Amino acid sequence: GRAIGMVLSFCFLTSLGVVQVSRLWVSYGRTQVSSLRCRPVVGLRQTVAMGLHGQGGLVTSISVEELFQRLGDERWRSEVQLIDVREPWEFSVGRIEGFRNLPLSRWEEWEEELSQGTQPVVALCQHGIRSMRVCNYLAEVHGLPCINVQGGVADYHAKVDSSVGIYE
């Protein structure tokens, strides 16, 4: 017999400017999801063949309290790449020791270098939104494990160390 159902296609722009297209086939009790190659836009060279949350567990999150504990462990610090994706002016207002400033606005200058590494990335920003975008992208495109710091520098200031400067 003939299969009865529908095909739903989704096009959207991710936080880093990559158009993604997914196809969802829904028929009586069966669902099949497929992804298509997508074209890069706005200067991104890679193509993405996965859905937004298709990282396969490569992206995780930690609280600022857990980050504080882990930063005290030299072994852990040596096993990860600590990056702060805020703009230089934000970084100058307040920073967490050990984090390297790699501004999201200069993504194309440092993406390749970072993606060549094998160590997991720990990404930080002001509130955890930009850093999650970076984590999703690194996991999807480069298969790089990434840990997002929930709440970012603002939460770190409020819950861990008020001497870390923040802006309003």
Side-chain angles (χ1 to χ4, degrees):
R2 196 172 114 201
I4 299 176
M6 67 178 118
V7 174
L8 304 171
S9 294
F10 304 95
C11 298
F12 53 94
L13 190 63
T14 69
S15 56
L16 290 174
V18 178
V19 174
Q20 296 184 329
V21 180
S22 295
R23 231 183 237 171
L24 176 65
W25 169 258
V26 180
S27 64
Y28 295 107
R30 294 187 314 184
T31 302
Q32 177 183 4
V33 178
S34 61
S35 296
L36 306 172
R37 287 189 66 82
C38 308
R39 62 184 173 83
V41 294
V42 198
L44 294 177
R45 298 179 307 277
Q46 290 78 10
T47 56
V48 178
M50 303 175 76
L52 183 61
H53 298 290
Q55 313 91 334
L58 292 174
V59 175
T60 57
S61 295
I62 61 171
S63 68
V64 292
E65 296 90 350
E66 186 177 357
L67 173 68
F68 178 73
Q69 290 177 339
R70 289 188 178 191
L71 288 174
D73 180 352
E74 283 299 318
R75 182 172 174 235
W76 182 79
R77 285 176 70 144
S78 70
E79 294 174 349
V80 296
Q81 300 179 73
L82 302 171
I83 67 166
D84 184 328
V85 300
R86 295 176 302 152
E87 295 306 307
W89 72 267
E90 294 174 284
F91 191 73
S92 69
V93 170
R95 64 186 206 85
I96 299 173
E97 188 176 330
F99 278 82
R100 179 176 163 201
N101 187 219
L102 299 175
L104 189 55
S105 64
R106 296 187 198 153
W107 173 259
E108 290 185 348
E109 295 174 17
W110 56 264
E111 174 203 357
E112 187 173 337
E113 173 195 340
L114 189 66
S115 67
Q116 299 300 318
T118 57
Q119 295 176 311
V121 171
V122 177
L124 173 76
C125 67
Q126 186 68 12
H127 296 287
I129 297 168
R130 288 174 285 177
S131 54
M132 180 55 88
R133 292 172 182 165
V134 168
C135 281
N136 282 331
Y137 183 83
L138 290 172
E140 290 174 5
V141 175
H142 298 292
L144 196 60
C146 194
I147 302 168
N148 182 54
V149 180
Q150 294 173 334
V153 174
D155 266 9
Y156 196 87
H157 170 87
K159 297 176 180 178
V160 176
D161 184 357
S162 61
S163 70
V164 173
I166 59 168
Y167 60 90
E168 296 298 321

